[in-house]
Amino acid sequence: MPLSAELFQKISSMDINELLALLVTGKLAKEGVVAVRKRIRNLWNQRKCGFTPNAEEAATIYKVGQKEAYKRLKECVGSHWSLRLIRLGLYISDLNDEGQRKLVAKTKGDIYKKYGSKGIKITNMATTGALSSVIEYLSKLKIEENLNRTDLAIIFDTEIIEVWDKITFFVKTEDSEKGISKKIVRMMNQRIRIFFVFAYGAASIKPMKVISKLSNDGTISNKNYHFSMISRKDKANWILYTWTFELIKPLF
């Protein structure tokens, strides 16, 4: 039986991780298996394979790609080159939640070997929980400024990925409240459209106090910013806090 047009189109749009996961399901007919293997060979030849997991990992990564956050990002930016790294970041986030530190380290090592520090930056977007805020930001721009996927992809590249180091602040336990405050105020003074503050566990106490003070004394609103905070706990009871600061668009 010839391959259906629908299945052919689906296979043609998948990357190697998704194709491997599809193979291990065992649900494909002979024609489908042949087409998938051919697609994998082509990707290898084109050097587009990237991180190559084993069959079990590939199946898990494929499931991660069905998450709502991933689907929403894809809806915003289309078939963006970073999506496979975002999916790997979500996979790492799940591993972190399960306390699989060794597998997390191995996966990050594989990503670094293939993509370097830029790849780690992109996966960190998903592991830190910042992805949901990024998606909300892009979705809002899409509506408010009537932007298409190409426009949003450019913004995602230039305002998020390329400047990730400049728009993120990971607070350490040894950081002083004064130092944290200065850093946040300096980022607001730079008129960055969106930036993030992260802290794990005990390191979150100081930024909580600092951000509360900056909010109560009017500093944040006076600089035309608003902020939100989310937190999540993994199975090892580690809590990651993420504060998102966004520049408020002038009314006129």
Side-chain angles (χ1 to χ4, degrees):
M1 181 182 294
L3 199 66
S4 69
E6 182 181 357
L7 182 56
F8 177 79
Q9 184 177 9
K10 179 180 179 181
I11 291 172
S12 299
S13 66
M14 298 172 82
D15 64 27
I16 198 166
N17 298 327
E18 294 170 323
L19 292 166
L20 286 169
L22 187 58
L23 272 181
V24 300
T25 63
K27 296 180 180 179
L28 290 173
K30 181 179 178 180
E31 294 79 8
V33 171
V34 171
V36 167
R37 287 177 174 170
K38 182 178 179 181
R39 169 70 174 162
I40 290 173
R41 283 197 300 271
N42 288 338
L43 288 173
W44 273 110
N45 292 334
Q46 296 171 35
R47 298 182 181 275
K48 291 183 179 180
C49 54
F51 169 72
T52 307
N54 60 37
E56 183 179 352
E57 290 171 335
T60 303
I61 293 168
Y62 176 76
K63 290 179 182 178
V64 167
Q66 309 308 305
K67 287 190 174 184
E68 188 63 27
Y70 179 82
K71 289 182 177 179
R72 288 189 61 198
L73 180 62
K74 194 170 184 178
E75 178 64 29
C76 284
V77 299
S79 299
H80 195 269
W81 62 268
S82 70
L83 288 179
R84 82 165 52 96
L85 286 167
I86 293 292
R87 190 167 58 247
L88 286 172
L90 291 170
Y91 169 63
I92 291 172
S93 181
D94 285 347
L95 293 179
N96 270 324
D97 288 347
E98 295 167 4
Q100 297 192 48
R101 308 300 183 207
K102 289 184 178 180
L103 189 50
V104 166
K106 176 187 177 299
T107 306
K108 283 189 172 182
D110 289 338
I111 292 169
Y112 184 79
K113 287 178 184 177
K114 175 63 182 179
Y115 299 98
S117 59
K118 190 172 185 178
I120 296 299
K121 291 177 188 177
I122 297 170
T123 54
N124 282 345
M125 193 184 306
T127 58
T128 56
L131 183 61
S132 59
S133 297
V134 169
I135 292 169
E136 292 301 326
Y137 175 65
L138 294 173
S139 298
K140 186 166 68 173
L141 288 179
K142 178 181 180 180
I143 295 170
E144 293 180 350
E145 301 183 19
N146 193 29
L147 301 180
N148 58 35
R149 284 181 173 179
T150 301
D151 297 326
L152 292 173
I154 292 172
I155 291 173
F156 188 42
D157 272 324
T158 59
E159 293 189 18
I160 305 294
I161 294 175
E162 294 297 335
V163 294
W164 184 250
D165 289 339
K166 295 181 180 179
I167 65 173
T168 55
F169 175 26
F170 287 83
V171 179
K172 301 175 182 177
T173 52
E174 60 266 28
D175 290 336
S176 67
E177 290 184 22
K178 184 177 181 180
I180 295 169
S181 181
K182 283 185 176 181
K183 175 74 171 180
I184 293 174
V185 171
R186 184 161 61 248
M187 294 174 85
M188 289 191 289
N189 286 340
Q190 292 172 351
R191 314 307 291 164
I192 299 172
R193 290 224 283 183
I194 188 171
F195 67 88
F196 306 93
V197 178
F198 306 106
Y200 269 106
S204 65
I205 296 173
K206 292 176 184 176
M208 280 183 182
K209 291 180 180 178
V210 168
I211 293 171
S212 178
K213 183 177 183 300
L214 291 175
S215 177
N216 291 335
D217 66 17
T219 299
I220 295 175
S221 58
N222 288 340
K223 292 187 179 296
N224 210 33
Y225 276 85
H226 67 78
F227 75 94
S228 60
M229 188 273 285
I230 60 172
S231 65
R232 64 181 184 85
K233 180 188 292 187
D234 63 22
K235 291 183 179 179
N237 284 326
W238 280 82
I239 302 178
L240 171 63
Y241 294 87
T242 302
W243 290 267
T244 302
F245 289 77
E246 188 176 339
L247 185 63
I248 301 171
K249 184 179 178 181
L251 294 176
F252 304 101

